[in-house]
Structure formats: structure tokens, C-alpha cells
Amino acid sequence: MLNQSKDVQPKKPALWHALLSFSVLILVMSVGIAVFKVDPHIPMFIGVIFSCCMALYLRYDWHSIEKMMIDGISKAMQSILILAIVGMMIGVWLLSGTIPTMIYYGLKLLSPSVFLPAAMLICSITSLATGTSWGTMGTMGLALMGIGHGLGMPVGPTAGAILAGAYFGDKMSPLSDTTNLAPAMAGTDVFTHVKFMLKSTIVAYVISLGFFAVYGFMNTANGSADTSQVTALMNGLKDTFNINPLLFIPPLLVILAIAFKMPAIPGITLGLISAAVLAPIFQHNMPIYGEDLTLLHTGVTFGDILSSARNGFFCKTKVDALNSLLTTGGLMNMSSSILMTIIAMMFGGVMEGTGQLEVIINAISKFVKSAAGLVAATEVTCIFSNIVMPEQYISILVPGRMFAPAYRKMGLHPKTLSNALESAGTVTSPLVPWNTCGMFIYATLGVKTIEYAPWAVFNYIMPIVTLVMAFFGATIAYMTPEEQAKADAGELV
């Protein structure tokens, strides 16, 4: 607990103080997102304001409270830097044709005889390449829903396969904001986080893929597949970009960086630089558009690389779905996630500095006696957050800051926490109809939650797999004494 002047000693918070702070945050977030349809930033800041008022009530002076907020933000600074670099990398990967190449070869996997597993694989590749489940569902998902209708496939299983692929990439892609937020809250780096998630995620993914393969085989439809939408997407990619297998080099370099345990920032920067080198070589005839989609010139220049890294890539093709999917990236487009992280860390810093997180964790610890039990408590809290604070980011940010001290106290590696956050926070959000993810899916795919939820196999099996594996120790990792010292010092492990 952070002390202040010797003359005025802060009061030790009671459990009701902490519960009131969280209750106000939950209320404001719920009303702001569900009723007024606003982004979570300002409701989260209102929660910060109330937590500061509670700190003042507990007799902390403003200097101490301000220091708590700054300390909280500093704990996420490396992840904030990674988010910024990832934003730049997405813009340059689009400009170089790397992401379009990945999507193009993914679409080639489509086969009417294995439609559901193919749909899952295509959405997986697209989401891994772009780092966005929403972008994947709004483009590839829409096209695949149309093809599924032509095949006579029920909408529920089709949407379930699309969600499985989209949220697999959202969970595993280093380009995804949630994949960067989870380790930031836990206290580890994105590469360590991704590698540790592989075991449980692959198990859930294989089970889901097998389910859709068997279901598709047993319920082969007699309709004729209308693949015109996929053909249009592939033609749009070929007409705009030079599609070449050599453009897989940037993502392969990032994968190698992970394999050879290179730190996250230089590893991601390597992927950025390699794409910047390839862009003018392979896209020398590509039309370059400005923000207002007016043609600027043909062929990638150094200035275009700088502009795409800052402002993102602006795509103009004859296919609206491609324009929507590929107009993204850039440092400025990542600012929303960065600002959300900063505000959430202000809240977490005050809650941690005043000891309010500690009293909540102490109350939970009375019922949690094992590492697997702590994982279970984390997952339940993430799911609860998705229900009452219906925003995917918040289900990672708030439980992450809340449980981080408990994991440290038990000697658990932060990647154990980050894995639990993603396994429950990221993937269960579309299962709640009033969550922003559930509402987006209904508005985009035209399928109600009650229709696709029974078929969202990956989304509800992922937290179960992680928890079961935790009881067998497979998703539990302990810190070495050196790592424990780093964690206690507030450094990433």
C-alpha cells in the first residue's frame, strides 16, 4: 500500500470500499455501453474519478493518488509501445501486400464438400493476418454466410464456424489488441503470452475443427454452392495487389522471432522493416489512394511507407467488402486501444495503490486454495465482466489488474493469468447478446445470439479446456526466483 505524509496516515480499506468502487464502474460501464451505445473510454474514466474520490475518503492526498495512476500506467508501458508498433506494422503489411496475400491463399482453401471446416480455416487465416475478429466477420464472414445459404447449410453451424475462426485469430494473433492487452494486464510480454496459449488453444481448436468436419460430413447439403462472392474477393485482391508467396516473409520472421525468444519489440519491428523493404519491390504498380480515396500515384514510395505506418492503408477496389477489411492499420488507428489501456491502468493503479484490490483478492483467497482454483475464479470474473460490463476489452483489463497480485502472491507466472484472461474474456464476449460483440455479430451476419450460440463450439469450449488443463497443471506455470523478483519490481516477466 502506498503511504503518504507521516502526519496523516491512510485508512485501510474495507471490503465494502472496494466493492463500491467496482460497483460504480460496473454501473457506469453497463449504462454507457448498453443504453447509450458509447465507447468504453469515458465510462471507464468516470470509474477512475470515483476510485480517486474513494482514495481521498481513505485519506490519501492528491500527490499520492496521482503517483498511483502514473505507476499503474508505467506497468503497461511496454505493451503500449507494442500496440503502437503493431499499428504501424499492420499499415505497412497491407501496403506491401502481405496481409492480402495471406487472405488470398486462405480463400483457396474453400471447398463445398468440406464447407464448415474450410470456413473456419479461412476465417482463422484472415483473423490471424489482420488481428481483428470484427473485420473478419464483416468481410469473410458475410461472404461465407452467403455461400452457406447457397449450399443449404443451416445459419447456426455456419455462423459458429465463422466465429471459431475469427476468435481463434483474435486470441492468437500478435496483431490483435486483445492479444496485447492480456499480457499487459498480467505483467508479461506478447510473445511469451502467445507461446503459452498454444497448448490449450490448439486443443480447443482441434476439437472445434473436428466437430465442424463431422457435422458437415453427416449433413452434406444438396444445394449448389454460389462461390461468386469468394471469386469476387480473390479477383479484387489480384487486381489491386501483386500476390506472391515471398510476401509471407514478414510473418515468418515474426514467428521465428517468437521461436528464438527474441524480445517482443525488436521481433515485431523486424516484421515491420521486412515488409517496408518488400513493399516497393512487389507493389511497384499498385495505385496509391489518399484518405479521401483520391488516386495519388502508382507504385509504393518511401513516403507511402511512412504514411501507411502512421495513418494506415486506404484500399479502393471494386469490392466493398475488401475496402472495408483492408482500410485499416497505422499508429493513429491503434490510439483507441492505447488510450483505453491508459485509462484502465489509471483505475487499476488507484485500486492497487489504495489496497482495494488487495482486500478483494483476500476475500476471494478464502475460497481459492489452488492455482487451478485461481484460474477458475479468473475465468468466472471475465465471463461476469462480459455480462455486466458488456465490452470485450473490459473483461480483460479489469480482471487482469484485479487478479495480478494474487497470481504473484501464489508464485504463478503472469502468462498463467494472461492465458486465463484470453480464454474466458476474449472468446466468451459474443455469447452475450447485449455485449458489444454479440450486437455486432447480429448486426453484421444477421444471426441472433440464440441461433449461433449452441454452435459456437470454440467460444464456449475454450475456457473449459483451459480450466481442465489447469487442474492437470498444463496451463499452470510458476515463476523462478529471478522472475519473482522482476515481478515484484513491476517488470515484465
Side-chain angles (χ1 to χ4, degrees):
M1 186 184 297
L2 180 63
N3 290 321
Q4 53 176 14
S5 129
K6 293 181 180 179
D7 299 328
V8 181
Q9 288 298 317
K11 293 195 300 184
K12 185 175 181 179
L15 181 60
W16 74 266
H17 294 128
L19 293 178
L20 181 59
S21 295
F22 272 109
S23 296
V24 169
L25 176 67
I26 290 170
L27 177 63
V28 175
M29 291 291 297
S30 301
V31 172
I33 295 172
V35 178
F36 294 104
K37 316 296 182 188
V38 299
D39 289 333
H41 300 68
I42 304 306
M44 187 81 221
F45 185 66
I46 294 173
V48 174
I49 293 172
F50 188 84
S51 69
C52 290
C53 292
M54 183 61 77
L56 291 170
Y57 174 79
L58 294 172
R59 299 178 184 172
Y60 285 89
D61 60 27
W62 177 248
H63 174 74
S64 300
I65 296 170
E66 191 175 78
K67 187 175 186 303
M68 294 174 198
M69 290 189 284
I70 294 171
D71 287 345
I73 295 169
S74 68
K75 291 178 180 178
M77 191 52 64
Q78 186 187 51
S79 294
I80 289 171
L81 294 175
I82 291 172
L83 280 170
I85 298 170
V86 164
M88 291 185 272
M89 185 174 72
I90 292 172
V92 178
W93 277 21
L94 286 163
L95 182 71
S96 68
T98 294
I99 290 175
T101 295
M102 295 171 73
I103 295 172
Y104 178 84
Y105 284 106
L107 288 171
K108 280 197 162 189
L109 290 171
L110 189 64
S111 170
S113 60
V114 287
F115 172 72
L116 289 178
M120 182 175 168
L121 288 168
I122 289 167
C123 288
S124 300
I125 293 171
T126 304
S127 192
L128 281 170
T130 60
T132 167
S133 57
W134 285 24
T136 299
M137 290 184 289
T139 52
M140 296 301 164
L142 271 176
L144 290 166
M145 287 297 295
I147 295 168
H149 179 74
L151 283 168
M153 294 298 295
V155 295
T158 302
I162 291 167
L163 260 67
Y167 278 90
F168 168 77
D170 195 359
K171 184 177 186 291
M172 295 300 296
S173 174
L175 306 183
S176 168
D177 41 15
T178 59
T179 310
N180 284 276
L181 288 176
M185 296 304 102
T188 188
D189 67 271
V190 66
F191 285 177
T192 300
H193 169 59
V194 169
K195 283 190 292 184
F196 191 69
M197 286 197 297
L198 277 173
K199 288 182 290 186
S200 56
T201 306
I202 287 176
V203 171
Y205 191 83
V206 169
I207 292 172
S208 304
L209 191 64
F211 171 83
F212 287 116
V214 171
Y215 179 87
F217 177 77
M218 294 177 64
N219 296 272
T220 303
N222 297 320
S224 58
D226 177 11
T227 59
S228 59
Q229 295 179 72
V230 172
T231 302
L233 289 171
M234 294 179 70
N235 289 338
L237 289 168
K238 287 176 65 178
D239 292 344
T240 305
F241 301 92
N242 178 12
I243 303 297
N244 193 298
L246 290 176
L247 290 168
F248 280 105
I249 290 174
L252 287 175
L253 287 175
V254 174
I255 292 170
L256 286 173
I258 296 173
F260 285 97
K261 299 183 179 181
M262 182 182 290
I265 289 178
I268 295 171
T269 303
L270 186 63
L272 167 62
I273 293 172
S274 60
V277 172
L278 294 174
I281 297 173
F282 286 95
Q283 309 304 333
H284 53 276
N285 292 320
M286 184 174 71
I288 303 297
Y289 295 93
E291 190 170 354
D292 58 355
L293 296 182
T294 56
L295 181 63
L296 300 178
H297 54 84
T298 301
V300 174
T301 66
F302 181 64
D304 297 324
I305 296 171
L306 299 179
S307 178
S308 294
R310 182 188 185 276
N311 302 316
F313 180 76
F314 300 99
C315 183
K316 184 178 180 181
T317 70
K318 296 177 182 179
V319 184
D320 290 338
L322 280 181
N323 299 337
S324 173
L325 177 64
L326 302 182
T327 298
T328 185
L331 174 63
M332 302 311 294
N333 282 317
M334 195 60 79
S335 60
S336 178
S337 297
I338 291 172
L339 292 172
M340 187 70 237
T341 304
I342 290 173
I343 296 171
M345 293 307 290
M346 290 167 64
F347 177 81
V350 174
M351 294 294 289
E352 190 170 358
T354 56
Q356 294 183 72
L357 283 183
E358 183 180 353
V359 296
I360 289 181
I361 294 303
N362 288 340
I364 294 174
S365 297
K366 294 177 182 178
F367 305 96
V368 176
K369 303 299 182 182
S370 66
L374 191 55
V375 170
T378 304
E379 291 192 335
V380 170
T381 305
C382 289
I383 295 169
F384 178 75
S385 297
N386 267 324
I387 295 171
V388 300
M389 292 184 288
E391 165 58 46
Q392 185 187 55
Y393 292 165
I394 304 304
S395 70
I396 293 173
L397 293 166
V398 174
R401 291 314 306 153
M402 192 171 100
F403 282 100
Y407 279 74
R408 286 198 301 271
K409 185 177 180 181
M410 201 174 282
L412 294 171
H413 196 287
K415 63 188 179 184
T416 308
L417 170 58
S418 63
N419 183 38
L421 293 173
E422 286 253 60
S423 295
T426 299
V427 302
T428 62
S429 54
L431 302 178
V432 181
W434 53 88
N435 190 284
T436 52
C437 295
M439 291 187 291
F440 174 84
I441 293 166
Y442 177 55
T444 305
L445 301 182
V447 186
K448 294 181 180 178
T449 309
I450 195 171
E451 291 180 282
Y452 66 72
W455 306 97
V457 181
F458 178 78
N459 298 75
Y460 60 73
I461 204 174
M462 188 68 254
I464 297 172
V465 168
T466 298
L467 182 57
V468 170
M469 293 179 71
F471 280 101
F472 287 97
T475 52
I476 300 294
Y478 288 90
M479 290 185 284
T480 64
E482 294 78 13
E483 290 172 334
Q484 183 77 61
K486 289 177 67 177
D488 293 338
E491 301 176 20
L492 293 188
V493 179

